[in-house]
Amino acid sequence: MLLEADVRGGDVAARFNLATEPGLASLSVAARRSTDASLVFEHVQELPGGLKVLLAPPPADRTAAAMKMLAEDGRPWLRAVAEQQDLAVVTDLGDLAPLGWGWAVAEAAEVLLLVVRPVLEELTRVISAAEALLARCEAAGTRLVLVTVGVGPFSKDEIEAETGIAVIAELPIDAAAAAMLAGRPDPRGILSRLAGGGGIAGLPLAKAAGALAATLATEQLRPGSVSDAEPQDAVADDGVESDRIGALA
């Protein structure tokens, strides 16, 4: 199940021409002071292909109000959902601000995936916030890991050493798969041809996401299980010492 919880407002309803109700707004009212995890099934809709989704309304103020209600009154319900063994919920939290309502969901989760491009400006923000993020996740029993998107000048080992956070997956830039997942029209069949006979499952992004899902499903996700490597000067493949991440910030 996909849960839209980005307080800037939802996108999926518009992408797939769905009504925004039932969805996150109606659920946030029903879940107040409740521990009945099955409530979620009364507020989901279904995307083409069968994926169940809990839709956020497009206006940011309505989504923020729903998330505020969940954070203030729905934490027992969020924990009850997280404890369901036969239900996997993937939540889009958007930009998770330090004082944001999305932390109610993040702190109920088994694992929090921080998605970042492996470039200096984004990694610098991760490094500066890593200690506080790790402490908060450890207190909640949530494992914090990184997912990188695209290529950059820094390796997986360098990123883990500088942030203290394990990189669990490296996703490729894949415009065709992203367009298909976003429900964009394909009037000339260009995306379909790029995908080939196997559909989106044969595209690089889908393959990498599938591998990530398999890792999450099988790995022992122990809170606080992060890289314990000490920051050190990186050495390039040619043996020449390179700048550490953040050295130019």
Side-chain angles (χ1 to χ4, degrees):
M1 181 181 299
L2 173 66
L3 164 61
E4 275 194 300
D6 186 344
V7 295
R8 295 172 299 183
D11 299 318
V12 175
R15 285 177 180 173
F16 293 95
N17 196 28
L18 297 171
T20 57
E21 296 289 344
L24 178 66
S26 59
L27 173 72
S28 65
V29 176
R32 298 180 71 184
R33 301 178 180 85
S34 173
T35 57
D36 182 4
S38 66
L39 275 176
V40 71
F41 295 105
E42 300 174 15
H43 301 271
V44 297
Q45 297 187 52
E46 196 169 282
L47 298 183
L51 177 66
K52 290 181 172 56
V53 60
L54 192 64
L55 297 168
D61 58 344
R62 290 192 60 204
T63 299
M67 291 300 296
K68 180 176 184 289
M69 196 175 297
L70 278 179
E72 292 179 344
D73 301 320
R75 288 178 183 265
W77 179 83
L78 288 169
R79 286 192 293 270
V81 172
E83 291 169 358
Q84 300 304 300
Q85 296 299 312
D86 57 349
L87 177 64
V89 181
V90 177
T91 303
D92 174 14
L93 291 172
D95 292 332
L96 189 58
L99 301 178
W101 304 117
W103 273 103
V105 177
E107 291 173 343
E110 184 176 13
V111 59
L112 176 62
L113 306 175
L114 184 59
V115 182
V116 61
R117 292 182 299 163
V119 295
L120 183 61
E121 58 269 31
E122 294 196 14
L123 289 172
T124 298
R125 291 200 295 270
V126 174
I127 292 168
S128 65
E131 184 177 355
L133 287 171
L134 286 167
R136 186 163 187 172
C137 287
E138 183 176 3
T142 299
R143 186 187 179 200
L144 176 66
V145 295
L146 288 174
V147 174
T148 62
V149 179
V151 296
F154 307 109
S155 70
K156 174 178 178 290
D157 289 344
E158 290 173 323
I159 294 170
E160 289 183 335
E162 290 288 344
T163 64
I165 307 173
V167 177
I168 198 173
E170 298 169 283
L171 302 183
I173 297 292
D174 185 349
M180 295 177 76
L181 288 170
R184 294 173 190 160
D186 186 19
R188 298 182 180 178
I190 296 173
L191 298 178
S192 299
R193 289 196 296 276
L194 287 173
I200 192 172
L203 293 175
L205 178 59
K207 290 179 179 179
L212 170 57
T215 297
L216 292 173
T218 59
E219 192 179 65
Q220 292 285 337
L221 294 175
R222 295 185 300 276
S225 177
V226 299
S227 170
D228 58 358
E230 292 294 327
Q232 56 186 339
D233 290 336
V235 178
D237 291 339
D238 58 4
V240 178
E241 189 175 89
S242 60
D243 287 333
R244 289 172 49 189
I245 299 172
L248 303 179

